[in-house]
Structure formats: structure tokens, C-alpha cells
Amino acid sequence: MSHYLRQGMGGVVETATTAASVAASALTNPYTAEILCRVKQLEATNLNKVVLPCVTTPPVFDSLGLRKFMPAIRGYVYAEQHPWAYAVGAALLLGVPLLLGYAAGRAR
């Protein structure tokens, strides 16, 4: 077996080991169950089926850093279930800075 072939096979084994390690981390992550539940909620919403509630995972440390994305995922699922939330969010995003600017200009 040539030197390059052995290096290539070592790289394949290393890549497979890394992939298995990441998969194990994802499966044991405390947020995995909630993410899967949120995906099922989106599917039910899109198919006009009954949406079952999900248990919200409390803020805990996880090695993948999924905790940072959970508020956005929860918000997205909520907005998909309640389309009016997009309009309210846009109004807040535009209205609050305008209101602050108006208040600051008026105070002078």
C-alpha cells in the first residue's frame, strides 16, 4: 500500500470518527428533543393539522451551542402558527426607533 493511500484511508477514518462524535453529541444534546418537536409543529401547521405543544427546555449548557438559537426557533414557529406576529414584529422594528427619535427630538 502506498504512502498516499494510507494517508487517504487515515483521513477517511478520522472523518468518520469525527462525524460519529458529532452525531453522538447531537443525539445527547438537551435541546434535540425540543428542536424535533418544533419541526413537527411546523409540519402540522403547514398541513393544517392539530399542533401539539412542546416542552420548553430550560437554559442549560450544551456542547453544540444550540441554546443560542432556541429563542429564534421558538419565535419562528410561533410566527408561522400566528401570521399576524410578522406584522407586529415589523411594526415594532420600525416603530420603536422612530418613537425614540421623535421623543429625543421633542426633548430638545
Side-chain angles (χ1 to χ4, degrees):
M1 202 181 285
S2 74
H3 172 70
Y4 295 111
L5 184 57
R6 276 182 279 169
Q7 276 186 327
M9 290 180 75
V12 168
V13 171
E14 183 179 339
T15 301
T17 303
T18 302
S21 174
V22 170
S25 292
L27 291 174
T28 59
N29 193 289
Y31 293 101
T32 301
E34 184 181 352
I35 289 173
L36 292 175
C37 183
R38 300 293 175 186
V39 168
K40 288 179 185 177
Q41 283 183 327
L42 282 174
E43 181 181 35
T45 300
N46 291 334
L47 296 175
N48 293 322
K49 292 185 176 180
V50 175
V51 178
L52 299 175
C54 292
V55 175
T56 301
T57 307
V60 294
F61 174 79
D62 67 302
S63 60
L64 297 177
L66 295 176
R67 176 178 52 138
K68 298 173 193 171
F69 298 104
M70 292 312 297
I73 291 170
R74 292 174 190 136
Y76 175 70
V77 172
Y78 183 84
E80 285 295 306
Q81 292 172 348
H82 307 91
W84 55 264
Y86 286 114
V88 171
L92 287 173
L93 191 64
L94 296 173
V96 169
L98 289 173
L99 184 63
L100 290 175
Y102 176 77
R106 188 159 169 92
R108 286 182 174 202

